[in-house]
Amino acid sequence: MFSLLGATTLMLVAGAPWTLPAAAGGTNLKSPENVEVHIIDDTFTLRWNGSDPAGGNVTFSADYQVPRNDTWLKLPGCQSVTSTKCNFSSLKLNVYEEVKLRVRAEKGNETSPWHNVDAFAPFEKAQIGPPKVHLEAEDKAIKINISPPGAKGGVMWALDSSSFTYSLEIWKNSSSAEIKTKTVYPRDKIYKLSPETTYCLKVKARLLPRKIGAYSPVYCIRTTVENKLPPPENVRIDAVNDIYVLKWDYTSENTTFQAQWLHAYFKKIPGNNSGKWKQMPGCENVKTTQCAIPQNTFQKGIYLIRVQASDGNTTSVWSKEKRFDAQLQSVLVPPTINVKPTNDVSLRVFIGAPEEPENKSVNQHYSLIYEVVFWENTSNAERKTLEKRTDFTFPNLKPLTVYCVKARALTENERWNKSSVFSDPVCEKTKPGSTSKTWLIAGICAALLSIPVVTYVLKLFLRCVRYVFFPSSKPPSTIDEYFSEPPLRNLLLFTSEEQTERCFIIENTNIITAVEETEQISEDHKKYNSQTSQDSGNYSNEDDSKSGEDFPQQEAE
């Protein structure tokens, strides 16, 4: 039994470290709770809740870990702090990369378990602080100069300082004043105020799409005494053909005016932009309430325009600045057209930019398509087509026919909805084409082929003429009769061993005797024929001259 009790005691002692950690040098410190990271502009703060059941002398420390590094590093500004928050703004972080934090409680040699904070990107967690505001008063306006949130040289909004938009609330400094909300530029002016009146306002910044900052403190300022010479009002600009016409309203006489313009984006850049305004060409010391401006003065972009009145040495304040979008109000200039006929009875059309240099830049602001109208000069039937190309062909036309072409430019993006007037028509006559050439070639070939035929027919005709008018001399018909008597077939049947002689015995011109003598290899005698008994004997061959006596002998036989 004692042995069993000893075994049980041993088991309890061995199990003590798992059940009684404090007795074995453990800790009763708890990890910090509700740990949060607060970031406003470039200020980084770590906050938490902690308890000290053991009583006092508890401190807190935090570590951080960045991507591509598995080592935990000490978080500067957050080591052995006695409060439940610490500032680690001095840490240089990439605000677009995620970072990990952890914090624990410490008391002497005792430490609590770490409390890990979920990874976060500082830029995503950061909030926009209030902007700084500077005001200047005029008689009926207040100039406002807004500095972007954050410290100068800060990294949180370094890439977005020009992307902030600002809204303000303004009211007269009275209990029942109406509060008006306006969207303003960092460098802007609030118009239509009362002179010698105190106004108060506050401003907040916003960064799209979802970051909205806190309002600035309230600023108040008093407007000045009304100026003797009022500023021009209702400034506007219209596009007419290839020029802009700037107009304004003014009631006083004997007054001259000048106008200035500024790129609108300068309003978003911190600093003084008064020296960036430029004189409007054609609108300096004008005595009318309008002036003409060349269209090439404004390239693609948004501008601000203002007008000032002068009467001797007295000048008004500048008018309310007019916002002007060159793309929306510019006028497209009709294109130039060049038409060239081709050999295949087609017309090749070339569309070009306007010839005047000041107009080229206007059309180049847009992506254009062209509406082309095409018709035969003797007909009113028109063909319309939309072409994005500037070089195309109208095929399969009539040869040697005059066609006319005109075109106008249209913006491809329907958002602008702009179009120019039509260009002057250009007319051109088509070429004969390959059909006429084909007939020409066919005619030449026919003429060449007809030469042999004509030659042959002419030759036959000459033979006929020669036969009729110039007959050839012919032998007597009796001789010609005998020449034509033996058939050619019998002559061709004679062998090389046969010899045929044809003899003619002519007694007079009316009697002709033909004797035919044939020698054959199998016969030893010769046979003579005569058609008359009165043979004169004047004709004989060699065999007949051997013996005149053989003749009666043969007859006897």
Side-chain angles (χ1 to χ4, degrees), residues 357-377:
E358 63 269 21
N359 291 335
K360 287 184 179 179
S361 60
V362 176
N363 286 12
Q364 289 175 354
H365 294 169
Y366 308 93
S367 177
L368 300 177
I369 57 176
Y370 300 95
E371 181 182 356
V372 183
V373 180
F374 176 76
W375 70 96
E376 188 177 340
N377 194 31

Side-chain angles (χ1 to χ4, degrees), residues 105 120 161 242 278-279 336 363 402 438 461 467 479 499 509:
F120 65 93
S161 60
D242 59 346
K278 296 183 180 181
Q279 185 66 43
T336 61
N363 286 12
V402 177
T438 302
F461 177 74
Y467 179 78
I479 297 176
Q499 296 182 0
T509 57

Side-chain angles (χ1 to χ4, degrees), residues 170-415:
I170 185 170
W171 63 93
K172 289 182 179 180
N173 190 18
S174 61
S175 57
S176 60
E178 179 186 359
I179 298 177
K180 296 181 180 181
T181 302
K182 295 178 178 293
T183 299
V184 292
Y185 289 110
R187 307 289 177 270
D188 213 333
K189 185 184 288 189
I190 305 170
Y191 298 94
K192 296 183 179 180
L193 303 180
S194 300
E196 301 182 88
T197 305
T198 300
Y199 289 87
C200 297
L201 58 85
K202 59 182 180 180
V203 183
K204 67 178 178 180
R206 179 175 57 187
L207 187 63
L208 297 177
R210 61 183 182 276
K211 287 185 180 294
I212 300 176
Y215 272 110
S216 69
V218 175
Y219 297 86
C220 295
I221 193 171
R222 183 179 178 83
T223 56
T224 63
V225 178
E226 185 175 2
N227 197 306
K228 294 181 179 180
L229 196 64
E233 297 180 350
N234 192 24
V235 178
R236 57 200 180 276
I237 187 168
D238 298 325
V240 180
N241 296 329
D242 59 346
I243 62 172
Y244 293 118
V245 179
L246 179 63
K247 300 178 181 180
W248 57 90
D249 296 337
Y250 205 75
T251 56
S252 301
E253 298 180 356
N254 300 323
T255 307
T256 59
F257 304 92
Q258 66 170 336
Q260 293 181 342
W261 64 272
L262 175 75
H263 287 285
Y265 66 81
F266 281 125
K267 288 285 188 176
K268 298 183 178 181
I269 299 176
N272 187 1
N273 54 36
S274 59
K276 297 181 175 65
W277 285 88
K278 296 183 180 181
Q279 185 66 43
M280 189 79 73
C283 297
E284 186 176 4
N285 296 325
V286 295
K287 296 184 178 181
T288 59
T289 56
Q290 67 177 32
C291 58
I293 308 168
Q295 193 167 356
N296 67 324
T297 302
F298 300 109
Q299 306 299 321
K300 180 180 180 181
I302 300 175
Y303 301 84
L304 298 174
I305 299 174
R306 66 183 185 180
V307 183
Q308 185 184 55
S310 299
D311 185 4
N313 295 327
T314 305
T315 58
S316 72
V317 295
W318 290 100
S319 67
K320 181 179 180 181
E321 295 166 359
K322 175 65 177 179
R323 181 184 173 92
F324 170 68
D325 190 333
Q327 283 187 300
L328 289 177
Q329 293 186 253
S330 59
V331 176
L332 293 181
V333 180
T336 61
I337 298 179
N338 185 19
V339 180
K340 181 180 179 181
T342 59
N343 294 329
D344 57 349
V345 197
S346 300
L347 287 180
R348 189 173 181 181
V349 181
F350 302 91
I351 296 180
E355 297 179 355
E356 295 80 2
E358 63 269 21
N359 291 335
K360 287 184 179 179
S361 60
V362 176
N363 286 12
Q364 289 175 354
H365 294 169
Y366 308 93
S367 177
L368 300 177
I369 57 176
Y370 300 95
E371 181 182 356
V372 183
V373 180
F374 176 76
W375 70 96
E376 188 177 340
N377 194 31
T378 58
S379 173
N380 294 326
E382 295 181 343
R383 290 169 51 187
K384 293 184 179 181
T385 179
L386 290 177
E387 292 286 346
K388 187 173 178 61
R389 301 169 298 168
T390 57
D391 182 357
F392 53 91
T393 302
F394 287 109
N396 304 323
L397 304 179
K398 299 178 182 178
L400 300 176
T401 304
V402 177
Y403 291 90
C404 296
V405 182
K406 65 180 180 180
R408 65 173 179 168
L410 307 171
T411 52
E412 188 175 13
N413 190 343
E414 295 181 356
R415 171 193 171 192

